[in-house]
Amino acid sequence: MSYKKILFISLLFLIYSYKSTAQRYYFEQYDIERGLIQSQVTAIVQDQKRKLWIATLGGLGSFNGRQFTNYSRTNGLTSNYNVALAVDKSNKIWIGSSGALTSYDGQRFIKRSASSYWTRKLSSTKNGEIFTLRKRSLYKIEKDQEQYINISKDSMEYVSSIYADPMGRLWAAVYNKGIYFLENNTWKSLHFKNGLPPDLEISDILLDNHNRNRLWLVSTKGVYVAENGLLSKEPWAIDSKPMCIAQDDNGAVWVGAEKGAYLIKKRRIIHFTAQNGFTDNTVSKIFKDIENNIWLGTYGAGLFKFNNNNYVIFDESQGIHNKLVMAVSYGPSSDAIWMGAYDGLYEYRSGQKIRNIEIPFAKDESYHINFLHRDSKKRVWIGSAEGGLWLATDKAVKRVDQKSPSPISYQSIIETGSKEIWITTNRGVFTFDEGTKKLNKISKLPGNSLLDLGRDTVLVGTQDGAYVFVNKQNVRHIKNKNLMGSSILCMLKYKGYILFGTSDYGLLIWNRETGKNWTINTKNGLASDHIYSIIEDSNGLIWLGTGRGISRMDPKNFKLINTPDANGLLVECNQNAILQDHNNMWIGTTKGVIVYKVDPMPSVEVKPYITINSINVFPSYKRKTEQSTFKTTFKSHELQERPSFPYSHNYISINFSGIYLTNPSSLRYKYRLVGLDNKFSQASSNSAVNFTAVPAGRYTFEVIAITKEGLTSVNTASFSFEILPPYYQTNTFRFFVFLLVILLILATVYAILTINERRRKLHLKIKLEEQYKIRKQTAEDFHDDLGNKLTRITVLSEVLSSMLRDDDSEKKNIIKKIATNVNELYNGTKDILWSLNPKNDTLNQLVDHIKDFGIEMFNDTPAQFKHHIEIPDNHIGLTLDLNRNVLLIFKESIHNALKHSKATEVYFKAKLNNKLLLLSLEDNGKGFDINKAKSGHGMNNMYLRAERIGADLNVISKADGTAICLLINFSTLKRKQNV
């Protein structure tokens, strides 16, 4: 490259650099007053959760966009003197300091190695490997151990810098050896055709993201660029020692220097210093975050953020003595911008310093300029608050109006389509007569703003709505309820609409054809309801200068859109102080002139990240367990678990924060508590939420962050927990309650049944006692009465028989039959009397009676009656019905055996075993046909009687004998009786 060419480029960059000093750029400073732990910033990194980590010589800090969390030796940090930072793939922070290498996993600091040498630099590759520079040597962290790395195979090599590029490769600068990069675990050297200058110590490296063949090198001798095998020192006007380098997403390269910082973009270089909004301190580290924000760490001035380059500021630092700029206009020359402030008139020309234009005002307080306007003749009209109306050309500034005893405040000015000048003041509306060079008053109406509607029609905005002037004479008040009573500060004609900027109702849009009108205000997203200025830009968008910033609107649908600055600069605009100059929009504010780009550089839309910081549970009493106490506060690293809280701890306070470093104050949050309400809440700026009286159950809290541009956070932060039900709502308690209720019901039913049973038994006992008495009395009466009667019949029969003759056999036979029947009746009544007698209502009495009956029946017969009885003498009680039916069954059986069986032996058995009574009668007679016998009354009666008493009767008859068995189950029989 020739000397002349180098000189030309150097001069060119000097010119561009000089241009940059005439304006102030927007940097946001974070120092110890804003929460930074110490002002000597040495390193900056960003973790996977978007937090910014700042190493200083007084400790370590993390920043979420709103507040700093600081760490020092008191918090477990190994050293407060920290100079290097890196983040590995597990989101662990590595800190290089004096004498130690430390890691932080979000919970505690762990000292990894100790040395008397400083850890100067740390780099993390894409695969998560950590490399460190110490004692001029390179080390790799392997399983928490440092492994020495030799790059150039020179045991005395001096590694001056390391750098990990976006592709994951590690670069290293070896003093007097060259530049190396690590690829496939092999160090490769970058060769230069023109060689590496001797004694060139590289302090920082950058691979150009927009040209991967270009490598930037920062050294004590300046900034070098390696491209296509050539290494060259670029001839920029960097007159301060470079310290570090970085690149933003737009391709601009940033260089930190001993004095301020430099921005290199294409053929333009800007030196940021205290003169244009930055600082003159040394910039030690420049870092680009994921949102393309540039962070600059300095020695002594803390941390700075450069948000974007979509606007610049002209204020006192550039030569305007009063930053309250009320008017902006072209000067007599189109390459000059004039600015009217509260202390005079200023001119800005590209590449030159701002200069003051003298106006021969009569007194200092008259320097308050209210408006500037360049007409079609390239004259500039200057309206002041009390110093009169002036007209400026490229030759002189002259006063137009006449001095008045009462001061006039000139408010606004327009040039109509007929080239006529209209002016509003606090004392009426005026026009300018070009012939007489004088002002003509056409109305006493004080006005704020003017709008040319064409055809000799002018609209005047006042403190009480708008007035229409036709041919300067016909004045009509617009009867619109939204306009009347409103202070109209500015107006704009757009196609068939008129837009009114008011001081209290926002923007009023009026359709002149239909008469329809509506307002756009802060409820619709307008920055403020106080609108000072309106203009349509070259892209057809409408700019609104309000009392709290700049808003833009698309007139096609009258929808508000984002401002060109991502931060939404909070400024108070001034009335009609707005001008478009090429691609720049100049707006006069109370903080100077803000110059926006009409077509701002496109920015990459990066979604915010959100985290839950802590959970607090109230009330905060402690519940003792075997080894721990109940926790009431949970930090972010503890939120992976699902804690359970007792039912009394149902007041949950959740604190969260979205990380959006570009504009943290613009974040809004939506949240929901799944399990209680599945719908997300309305967007709110609150970063904490309280849930009171949460009922028992399982819940998941979810929260998302939303920017004012509508970008939703890349993640949804969530926290799951459980409110344990009170003991009276648990299933166990419900089961026991249910069981208790059932037991109570059963106990009640049992009690009722027991009482009823007692009553029944009592009634039965009384009834049995009554029956007992009746039966006993009946038996006695029956025995006495019937026995006497039968005895008397027997005696009378015998007397009658003695009175007959011996030969009267027929009568004697009759008398004999009477005696036989009497005896049979007496024998029959004996069984009845026996059954009626209550003392015979026992099993022993029954069995003995059957036995006695059998003995009596077989007495004086050829057959022999035998018996075998195995019944304990425990007086088992029997009912009258059971007693009588069993007796009749076996009397019938004994009678049949005696009468029909022709047996020689008859065997009666009775056995009681476990409440089972077995009665049987067996003979060795000839047997009989059971089926035929069932057709008779005797056998059927036996079965009926057995069924009646619930007993089982079994009759077995064969040729060698007959067996009749009766089985009675007293337990079953008793239950049936109780029923």
Side-chain angles (χ1 to χ4, degrees):
M1 184 179 292
S2 68
Y3 172 78
K4 291 183 178 180
K5 188 174 182 181
I6 293 175
L7 180 61
F8 172 76
I9 294 175
S10 300
L11 290 174
L12 181 64
F13 277 103
L14 278 171
I15 291 173
Y16 278 109
S17 177
Y18 181 74
K19 288 181 182 179
S20 68
T21 63
Q23 56 198 28
R24 185 169 70 86
Y25 295 87
Y26 184 72
F27 288 86
E28 189 169 1
Q29 183 181 10
Y30 299 90
D31 52 15
I32 58 174
E33 293 181 0
R34 296 285 299 273
L36 188 65
I37 191 170
Q38 206 260 356
S39 59
Q40 311 288 329
V41 177
T42 55
I44 308 169
V45 294
Q46 189 174 28
D47 65 18
Q48 296 170 11
K49 294 183 178 181
R50 309 283 181 86
K51 282 186 179 180
L52 212 64
W53 291 82
I54 304 98
T56 75
L57 297 182
L60 177 69
S62 69
F63 183 54
N64 64 4
R66 291 177 179 267
Q67 61 185 11
F68 287 88
T69 302
N70 293 320
Y71 306 90
S72 64
R73 290 180 65 90
T74 306
N75 308 107
L77 192 61
T78 305
S79 172
N80 286 341
Y81 297 96
N82 305 292
V83 295
L85 289 174
V87 182
D88 65 15
K89 60 182 179 181
S90 63
N91 204 37
K92 190 181 298 179
I93 310 298
W94 292 79
I95 308 108
S97 60
S98 60
L101 178 64
T102 308
S103 68
Y104 180 65
D105 60 2
Q107 301 181 51
R108 61 194 180 104
F109 291 93
I110 300 175
K111 188 175 182 180
R112 299 295 180 177
S113 64
S115 172
S116 59
Y117 297 96
W118 286 72
T119 300
R120 296 189 296 112
K121 283 203 173 186
L122 284 167
S123 284
S124 174
T125 61
K126 201 169 185 178
N127 58 6
E129 294 177 321
I130 299 294
F131 290 85
T132 178
L133 273 186
R134 180 186 295 146
K135 195 184 175 182
R136 297 187 174 189
S137 299
L138 179 64
Y139 295 87
K140 180 181 179 181
I141 308 301
E142 289 279 3
K143 297 180 180 179
D144 293 341
Q145 298 293 325
E146 291 187 3
Q147 177 186 353
Y148 171 73
I149 303 293
N150 185 271
I151 300 173
S152 64
K153 298 181 181 180
D154 182 354
S155 60
M156 300 298 291
E157 70 178 13
Y158 166 31
V159 182
S160 61
S161 182
I162 57 174
Y163 160 74
D165 67 24
M167 294 185 295
R169 292 182 303 181
L170 183 70
W171 295 77
V174 182
Y175 182 68
N176 280 338
K177 295 294 183 181
I179 307 298
Y180 296 82
F181 60 92
L182 183 62
E183 192 171 62
N184 298 325
N185 295 322
T186 302
W187 288 99
K188 298 181 180 180
S189 175
L190 189 65
H191 298 284
F192 305 113
K193 297 177 182 179
N194 54 347
L196 189 70
D199 300 326
L200 185 67
E201 184 175 342
I202 306 299
S203 60
D204 206 355
I205 306 171
L206 172 69
L207 180 66
D208 198 308
N209 290 330
H210 289 246
N211 185 355
R212 296 296 172 87
N213 294 320
R214 181 183 298 160
L215 191 69
W216 299 73
L217 304 174
V218 174
S219 73
T220 56
K221 297 181 180 181
V223 178
Y224 288 78
V225 174
E227 186 174 2
N228 299 324
L230 293 175
L231 181 66
S232 60
K233 182 180 180 182
E234 295 299 325
W236 299 302
I238 297 180
D239 52 3
S240 180
K241 178 184 175 181
M243 305 293 293
C244 55
I245 193 168
Q247 187 178 34
D248 62 26
D249 291 339
N250 298 315
V253 174
W254 292 74
V255 177
E258 277 191 332
K259 182 181 179 181
Y262 294 86
L263 173 62
I264 305 168
K265 184 176 182 182
K266 297 181 180 178
R267 291 187 175 182
R268 186 183 182 194
I269 183 169
I270 303 173
H271 187 193
F272 296 112
T273 62
Q275 186 179 0
N276 57 10
F278 188 48
T279 179
D280 290 336
N281 290 47
T282 299
V283 176
S284 56
K285 180 65 178 177
I286 301 179
F287 177 77
K288 181 196 72 69
D289 66 24
I290 194 173
E291 299 169 21
N292 199 33
N293 297 306
I294 296 297
W295 298 85
L296 303 102
T298 70
Y299 286 152
L303 182 69
F304 287 81
K305 180 179 73 169
F306 182 84
N307 295 294
N308 53 59
N309 197 26
N310 289 331
Y311 68 88
V312 294
I313 303 173
F314 292 88
D315 58 11
E316 296 137 313
S317 63
Q318 284 79 46
I320 301 176
H321 297 160
N322 192 311
K323 62 183 178 181
L324 186 60
V325 179
M326 299 296 297
V328 183
S329 173
Y330 284 118
S333 175
S334 298
D335 63 346
I337 301 294
W338 280 22
M339 296 168 283
Y342 253 32
D343 68 337
L345 182 64
Y346 297 88
E347 181 185 72
Y348 168 77
R349 291 177 183 268
S350 180
Q352 299 180 14
K353 290 184 178 181
I354 294 175
R355 72 181 184 92
N356 180 252
I357 299 176
E358 292 293 335
I359 302 177
F361 287 120
K363 49 186 178 178
D364 292 342
E365 58 266 24
S366 301
Y367 277 74
H368 296 179
I369 296 176
N370 282 345
F371 68 73
L372 294 172
H373 174 73
R374 192 177 81 155
D375 62 20
S376 58
K377 296 180 181 180
K378 298 184 179 180
R379 300 173 300 180
V380 178
W381 294 81
I382 306 167
S384 68
E386 296 180 0
L389 178 66
W390 299 76
L391 190 60
T393 64
D394 56 354
K395 295 181 180 180
V397 179
K398 295 181 180 180
R399 184 164 182 170
V400 176
D401 64 340
Q402 300 296 323
K403 293 182 180 180
S404 172
S406 299
I408 297 176
S409 178
Y410 292 89
Q411 302 295 330
S412 63
I413 184 172
I414 62 167
E415 183 179 16
T416 66
S418 58
K419 308 302 180 183
E420 189 172 28
I421 300 297
W422 284 61
I423 301 169
T424 61
T425 72
N426 62 335
R427 299 181 64 184
V429 181
F430 295 82
T431 61
F432 181 73
D433 189 334
E434 289 287 350
T436 63
K437 304 297 181 182
K438 293 183 180 180
L439 294 175
N440 295 324
K441 189 174 184 178
I442 62 174
S443 173
K444 295 182 179 181
L445 187 69
N448 295 330
S449 56
L450 291 163
L451 180 65
D452 179 25
L453 297 180
R455 297 181 182 179
D456 296 326
T457 302
V458 174
L459 198 60
V460 178
T462 72
Q463 295 288 338
D464 184 24
Y467 290 80
V468 178
F469 284 69
V470 180
N471 294 323
K472 302 179 185 178
Q473 296 178 353
N474 187 5
V475 182
R476 178 174 57 87
H477 194 191
I478 297 178
K479 304 295 183 180
N480 185 295
K481 64 179 182 179
N482 290 327
L483 281 176
M484 296 179 69
S486 297
S487 179
I488 310 300
L489 301 181
C490 54
M491 295 178 288
L492 175 70
K493 182 172 61 174
Y494 176 80
K495 295 184 178 180
Y497 298 90
I498 295 178
L499 281 62
F500 298 91
T502 73
S503 64
D504 40 18
Y505 296 114
L507 181 68
L508 175 66
I509 302 174
W510 179 35
N511 189 321
R512 297 175 62 189
E513 297 177 358
T514 64
K516 181 182 178 182
N517 59 86
W518 67 95
T519 58
I520 295 177
N521 50 37
T522 50
K523 293 181 179 179
N524 308 108
L526 196 63
S528 170
D529 289 333
H530 207 123
I531 299 177
Y532 288 101
S533 54
I534 309 177
I535 194 173
E536 181 184 359
D537 69 16
S538 55
N539 296 325
L541 299 180
I542 292 175
W543 292 62
L544 305 169
T546 78
R548 291 182 63 83
I550 312 300
S551 294
R552 292 194 304 170
M553 183 176 66
D554 187 350
K556 296 177 182 178
N557 52 17
F558 295 106
K559 297 292 185 182
L560 295 171
I561 58 177
N562 299 330
T563 56
D565 60 305
N567 285 311
L569 186 63
L570 186 61
V571 291
E572 183 178 357
C573 301
N574 289 322
Q575 186 176 352
N576 294 315
I578 191 165
L579 170 72
Q580 181 175 356
D581 174 42
H582 298 92
N583 192 42
N584 295 322
M585 188 67 69
W586 294 66
I587 302 173
T589 74
T590 58
K591 295 181 179 180
V593 177
I594 312 297
V595 183
Y596 288 93
K597 291 186 181 297
V598 175
D599 293 317
M601 291 182 296
S603 59
V604 179
E605 292 185 341
V606 179
K607 296 180 178 181
Y609 191 92
I610 188 166
T611 59
I612 295 178
N613 300 323
S614 63
I615 309 292
N616 290 292
V617 186
F618 303 98
S620 57
Y621 82 90
K622 292 185 177 180
R623 183 185 63 180
K624 293 183 179 180
T625 60
E626 292 181 0
Q627 296 180 347
S628 63
T629 56
F630 176 74
K631 294 194 66 172
T632 58
T633 301
F634 294 82
K635 299 299 181 182
S636 58
H637 61 269
E638 301 173 311
L639 301 182
Q640 302 300 323
E641 306 172 355
R642 181 194 285 268
S644 297
F645 310 134
Y647 71 93
S648 58
H649 285 65
N650 59 357
Y651 184 101
I652 312 295
S653 177
I654 304 176
N655 179 273
F656 45 85
S657 61
I659 300 181
Y660 187 56
L661 300 177
T662 301
N663 189 9
S665 62
S666 71
L667 284 182
R668 299 292 182 268
Y669 303 97
K670 290 184 177 182
Y671 59 85
R672 65 179 178 179
L673 188 61
V674 179
L676 190 65
D677 187 1
N678 292 331
K679 292 183 179 179
F680 277 100
S681 66
Q682 294 294 324
S684 169
S685 59
N686 295 330
S687 60
V689 62
N690 298 322
F691 294 99
T692 60
V694 181
R698 288 194 168 191
Y699 302 95
T700 298
F701 174 78
E702 295 179 347
V703 60
I704 57 176
I706 302 173
T707 68
K708 70 175 185 178
E709 294 84 10
L711 296 176
T712 303
S713 55
V714 69
N715 67 316
T716 298
S718 64
F719 169 65
S720 297
F721 63 94
E722 181 180 8
I723 301 292
L724 298 175
Y727 69 90
Y728 51 82
Q729 290 183 358
T730 60
N731 291 331
T732 303
F733 181 80
R734 292 191 181 107
F735 172 76
F736 280 114
V737 169
F738 175 76
L739 185 62
L740 180 61
V741 171
I742 295 299
L743 291 175
L744 289 175
I745 292 174
L746 292 176
T748 303
V749 171
Y750 177 77
I752 294 172
L753 293 177
T754 301
I755 293 172
N756 290 337
E757 180 66 15
R758 288 177 180 176
R759 289 177 180 175
R760 189 185 69 81
K761 288 182 176 181
L762 180 61
H763 292 161
L764 180 61
K765 182 178 180 182
I766 295 173
K767 184 177 179 181
L768 290 175
E769 289 177 352
E770 292 294 331
Q771 289 179 354
Y772 182 83
K773 293 178 180 178
I774 294 172
R775 286 172 59 191
K776 185 176 181 181
Q777 186 66 38
T778 302
E780 292 176 353
D781 294 344
F782 187 79
H783 179 271
D784 292 342
D785 190 22
L786 184 61
N788 290 335
K789 292 290 193 292
L790 291 176
T791 301
R792 186 175 180 183
I793 290 172
T794 301
V795 171
L796 289 175
S797 297
E798 292 177 353
V799 171
L800 182 59
S801 178
S802 62
M803 294 176 63
L804 295 176
R805 296 191 302 272
D806 294 335
D807 58 347
D808 197 356
S809 58
E810 183 177 357
K811 292 181 180 179
K812 286 185 176 183
N813 287 334
I814 292 172
I815 293 171
K816 187 176 181 180
K817 288 181 180 180
I818 291 172
T820 302
N821 288 330
V822 169
N823 289 332
E824 290 179 354
L825 179 60
Y826 180 74
N827 291 331
T829 57
K830 285 172 58 180
D831 292 332
I832 295 174
L833 291 175
W834 184 87
S835 297
L836 285 175
N837 195 344
K839 70 178 183 179
N840 297 323
D841 289 346
T842 62
L843 181 59
N844 300 80
Q845 291 291 337
L846 174 63
V847 173
D848 289 340
H849 189 68
I850 294 172
K851 177 194 69 174
D852 293 340
F853 178 78
I855 293 172
E856 183 180 356
M857 287 294 292
F858 284 94
N859 189 23
D860 298 329
T861 63
Q864 195 175 23
F865 184 80
K866 296 180 180 180
H867 56 84
H868 179 75
I869 298 173
E870 294 183 18
I871 295 177
D873 190 12
N874 54 3
H875 302 287
I876 297 177
L878 301 176
T879 63
L880 176 63
D881 186 52
L882 177 64
N883 198 347
R884 177 167 177 74
N885 281 289
V886 172
L887 176 63
L888 292 177
I889 289 172
F890 279 94
K891 283 186 67 176
E892 181 70 21
S893 300
I894 293 171
H895 183 268
N896 290 337
L898 177 64
K899 185 176 180 181
H900 303 292
S901 66
K902 296 182 180 181
T904 58
E905 287 185 0
V906 177
Y907 206 159
F908 173 68
K909 296 179 181 178
K911 184 176 182 180
L912 180 65
N913 185 16
N914 292 331
K915 295 188 178 181
L916 288 176
L917 175 64
L918 178 63
L919 301 174
S920 64
L921 186 69
E922 302 175 4
D923 63 58
N924 58 356
K926 63 179 181 178
F928 62 91
D929 188 349
I930 295 175
N931 293 327
K932 289 183 179 181
K934 287 183 178 180
S935 61
H937 292 291
M939 184 63 68
N940 282 334
N941 286 341
M942 291 172 61
Y943 278 105
L944 287 175
R945 292 183 187 279
E947 183 179 358
R948 190 179 299 160
I949 62 176
D952 293 329
L953 179 64
N954 192 11
V955 178
I956 301 173
S957 183
K958 298 181 181 179
D960 56 351
T962 300
I964 297 174
C965 299
L966 183 67
L967 181 65
I968 300 174
N969 189 340
F970 278 99
S971 60
T972 304
L973 180 65
K974 189 171 183 180
R975 284 199 297 270
K976 289 183 178 180
Q977 291 172 351
N978 290 337
V979 173

